[in-house]
Structure formats: structure tokens, C-alpha cells
Amino acid sequence: MEKLIKTGLILSGGGAKGAYHVGVVKALAEYGIQADAIAGASIGALNGSLLAASHSMQQGYEHLNRVWQTLSQQSPLKFQSKNLFVPQYLVLLASFGLRLNITNILPFIAYRSVKGLLKQFDIYPEFLKKLEDQLGSRNSVLDNSPLTALIDEYLNWQDLQRGTPLYVSVYKSNGGLIDLMGCIAAMLDMKDTAPSEFFCLQQFSEQDWKNALMASAALPLLYESQKIGDNSFTDGGQGGWKTVQGNTPITPLVEAGCNLVIVSHLSDGSLWDRHNFPDTTVVEIRPQKEISRDGAKDLLAFDSSRINEWIEQGYTDTIACIGKIKEALDNRSHLKSIMQEQQKAEKVMLSSSERMHEIMTKIRK
């Protein structure tokens, strides 16, 4: 018989606040709640990969906790260049959800635009060349090698292949600067961003899966985009900005048949609306108290005090929601029992009908 209850888990993006997910998973494990499929965006995709490769929710918590304790001692953020001329605001783009400081951004956008225009007309003054040398020639500010090393150390492709289906949110890139300007336009309510796309990580080859995972967290200009097939992809949290479509990737779970979805948010007052999915039972784990501690700096707060504080908050908030989750599971279990009993009764009736038909056939003969 087809399984009636299929539970999905969504881990949204939010930089260092992703430590909150560790507490969420800890609470779910304690209550014996398992996920049949997982979807994540940005840091949620990275957390989701560790959970998906684990044999159980409890083991997933243990893996996540070990990784985040490591991150609390050694930040994964590494500059491509140590030069102080690197625009500092770009580091504050470490995650979806930050309200950008337009005043600080405009000079950099103007600089990149003028540079592009001058290059187009084959004009490139010597002082710009020197400035480029100071800033570094790369198209991203941060080096992704620490994240790559983290994945290599803690993720095993074979375990992931045998594990829980994992869907990651990615955004088809038109170039870092254009992507960034699109997000700014969406924040100013001028135009929404295009929807994010979703990839099932287990459907990639052993050579390509890491690119898909890294793409989900590759925020434009901050990290290098990742090539998948003929296209380049960046941070999935950018997609469908106004409805948080990419940062809360429920669509692939619904399409995969999940009828109960647990959503872990990493922002205060997320605009995502569960009522847009009326045919799915959605239980949201929203921060019960303000999750932001120090504004934009939270996104980079890879230190032990902040990380452990967020883990504890995720655990406490999930415990407060467990009643709703258990109620949804119990209601569906009750419905499953009723349907099973009904199917048994139908089989008995069918069997009786077939026997009666055989008897009547013999009598007629």
C-alpha cells in the first residue's frame, strides 16, 4: 500500500543563523520525527546535505552539531584578497534576507558600470588597471575553498546517494552585477526576481553534485557562480524575492508527494505564506523571539557564543511547535488507519461477492 504520510523538511537560508537548524533537527530527533525528503536554500542546502546523508535524524543532528562547532572555531569566510580596498559591504551579502544599504552599494555599481563601458570602447585608464590589481582580478570577493574543504571532509557521496532525497534551490545567473541589481530592484518593489530552480542532488553524477550544492550558496559577487550544464547558477535565495519562493523551497517537496511539510525559517517575519499551498499540511517553525542579534553582522557571526545561542533557540522554538507537528502526524495516522480498515472491509465484501457469484453460477447450471 502506498504510504499515506510523506513528510518533507525545508531548511531556509540565513548565513550563520543556519546554526538554528541544528536545534530544530535535535528536537525533531528527540520526538522521533523523520523526513522523507529535504529541501534547502543557501546555508539550508549545506545543512540539508549533511542531514540527507545521515542514517537518521539523530545521526543528522550529531553531524550538524559537529560541523557547526567546527565553524564556531574557524569561520568559513575567506577573502580572495587581504587588501582593505575590497568593498566591505559585499561581505554583508553572506546570506539572503539582508536589507542592503543602497548608499554604499551605488558607488560600487557605478564603478563596475563605468569599467564595463570603458572596456566596451577599448578605453581603460592606467589608474583603473592599478585599482583592479589592488582589488584582485577575480569576480568574487570571498574564496569558496573553505566551503569546498568542509564538504570534502564531512560529506560522502555514497552516503548521500543512499540517503534522503535532497532538493537544493539555485538561481540561473545573468552575471553577478545584474543578479545583485535585480535583488535591489525587488527590495525597492520595482520588479520581482525570476523564480529559482530546484535540483535533486542525488540525480547528479559524483563529479557534478558538488557544483549544484555550492551554487545554492554562491551569492552574486560574493562567491563565484557555479557551472551546471550550459548555465551558471548562484544563490537560490534570490529567486521569487517578493514571495520568498527560492529561499523557502516547498515546491519540489510538494511535487515529490510530500503532504506534510515542516518549514524552518531563519528570518524574523518572513513573508512566505503557507496558505499558498492549501492541499499541503504545513507546520512552520518561526523564531519565537527575535533571531537577529546584531543586524547584518549576524550573517557573519561564526563564533561559539552566537552559534550555540542560535542552536538553543532553534531547539526551544521547535519544542514549542512539536505539538502541532505531532497533531498533524497523528491525524494523518488516524486517517491512514481508517482507510486501511475500509480497504479491508472492501476486500471482504469483494470476496463475499465473488463467492456468491460462484454459487449462483453453479445453481444456474
Side-chain angles (χ1 to χ4, degrees):
M1 177 180 175
E2 186 178 352
K3 188 177 182 182
L4 180 64
I5 307 171
K6 188 171 183 179
T7 304
L9 174 63
I10 296 175
L11 303 176
S12 60
K17 289 183 291 184
Y20 184 93
H21 291 152
V22 183
V24 171
V25 173
K26 178 182 179 182
L28 295 178
E30 287 185 359
Y31 279 82
I33 298 172
Q34 302 295 324
D36 298 300
I38 302 167
S42 196
I43 194 67
L46 295 172
N47 283 340
S49 65
L50 291 164
L51 182 58
S54 302
H55 301 305
S56 65
M57 194 70 75
Q58 176 61 32
Q59 187 186 64
Y61 158 67
E62 293 168 0
H63 289 170
L64 281 168
N65 189 56
R66 184 164 65 249
V67 169
W68 278 90
Q69 295 306 323
T70 299
L71 291 176
S72 72
Q73 303 300 320
Q74 185 176 348
S75 171
L77 303 176
K78 178 183 177 183
F79 281 102
Q80 294 278 19
S81 169
K82 296 181 179 179
N83 196 293
L84 296 178
F85 287 102
V86 173
Q88 293 297 305
Y89 81 87
L90 281 177
V91 183
L92 300 182
L93 292 175
S95 166
F96 172 90
L98 176 63
R99 292 297 176 261
L100 305 180
N101 185 328
I102 302 300
T103 304
N104 290 340
I105 289 175
L106 288 178
F108 184 68
I109 292 177
Y111 160 70
R112 291 292 293 267
S113 301
V114 169
K115 172 191 168 184
L117 186 62
L118 290 174
K119 278 196 167 184
Q120 194 171 24
F121 288 96
D122 201 24
I123 303 172
Y124 201 37
E126 188 64 29
F127 79 91
L128 279 182
K129 291 181 181 179
K130 291 181 179 179
L131 181 59
E132 283 290 291
D133 290 338
Q134 288 181 318
L135 293 177
S137 59
R138 291 180 178 267
N139 293 321
S140 61
V141 173
L142 295 179
D143 184 351
N144 62 15
S145 61
L147 289 178
T148 303
L150 199 70
I151 292 172
D152 289 340
E153 181 176 358
Y154 290 101
L155 264 182
N156 180 284
W157 171 237
Q158 284 70 33
D159 287 341
L160 192 60
Q161 276 289 87
R162 293 189 294 263
T164 306
L166 172 66
Y167 300 87
V168 298
S169 173
V170 296
Y171 187 76
K172 188 180 290 184
S173 177
N174 294 304
L177 183 59
I178 295 176
D179 293 345
L180 178 59
M181 292 179 71
C183 292
I184 294 171
M187 282 187 291
L188 295 176
D189 206 23
M190 296 167 58
K191 180 183 178 182
D192 200 5
T193 56
S196 287
E197 299 180 28
F198 309 107
F199 294 145
C200 179
L201 218 59
Q202 282 86 356
Q203 292 179 357
F204 284 91
S205 68
E206 187 170 0
Q207 288 72 38
D208 297 333
W209 69 275
K210 196 181 300 181
N211 283 355
L213 183 58
M214 291 294 294
S216 186
L219 203 133
L221 296 184
L222 192 64
Y223 287 108
E224 289 182 316
S225 61
Q226 299 293 311
K227 195 80 170 178
I228 302 173
D230 296 329
N231 297 301
S232 294
F233 292 89
T234 54
D235 193 302
Q238 301 169 84
W241 189 284
K242 293 183 179 180
T243 59
V244 205
Q245 175 261 356
N247 203 52
T248 312
I250 189 174
T251 305
L253 296 184
V254 173
E255 291 177 349
C258 292
N259 42 29
L260 171 63
V261 177
I262 303 167
V263 183
S264 175
H265 294 285
L266 291 183
S267 61
D268 299 312
S270 171
L271 298 178
W272 188 81
D273 189 355
R274 70 177 184 276
H275 297 103
N276 291 330
F277 306 92
D279 297 328
T280 304
T281 300
V282 178
V283 179
E284 296 181 83
I285 302 172
R286 290 180 178 263
Q288 300 297 300
K289 64 178 182 179
E290 192 173 18
I291 193 170
S292 296
R293 304 290 189 264
D294 196 15
K297 294 180 181 178
D298 289 337
L299 304 175
L300 309 176
F302 290 96
D303 62 77
S304 57
S305 60
R306 290 288 178 84
I307 283 176
N308 288 315
E309 187 179 346
W310 278 318
I311 291 175
E312 182 60 31
Q313 184 176 354
Y315 176 79
T316 303
D317 290 345
T318 306
I319 291 296
C321 293
I322 284 291
K324 297 178 183 177
I325 299 172
K326 294 293 285 183
E327 182 181 357
L329 286 168
D330 291 343
N331 286 341
R332 289 189 176 275
S333 295
H334 180 59
L335 178 60
K336 180 179 179 180
S337 298
I338 293 175
M339 291 182 67
Q340 286 177 331
E341 291 300 322
Q342 184 178 358
Q343 287 193 352
K344 288 180 182 178
E346 289 174 352
K347 286 181 179 179
V348 171
M349 290 177 63
L350 180 61
S351 177
S352 298
S353 177
E354 289 174 346
R355 286 199 298 271
M356 181 62 70
H357 178 72
E358 290 176 0
I359 293 172
M360 293 301 295
T361 300
K362 290 179 180 178
I363 292 175
R364 290 191 187 101
K365 291 180 178 179

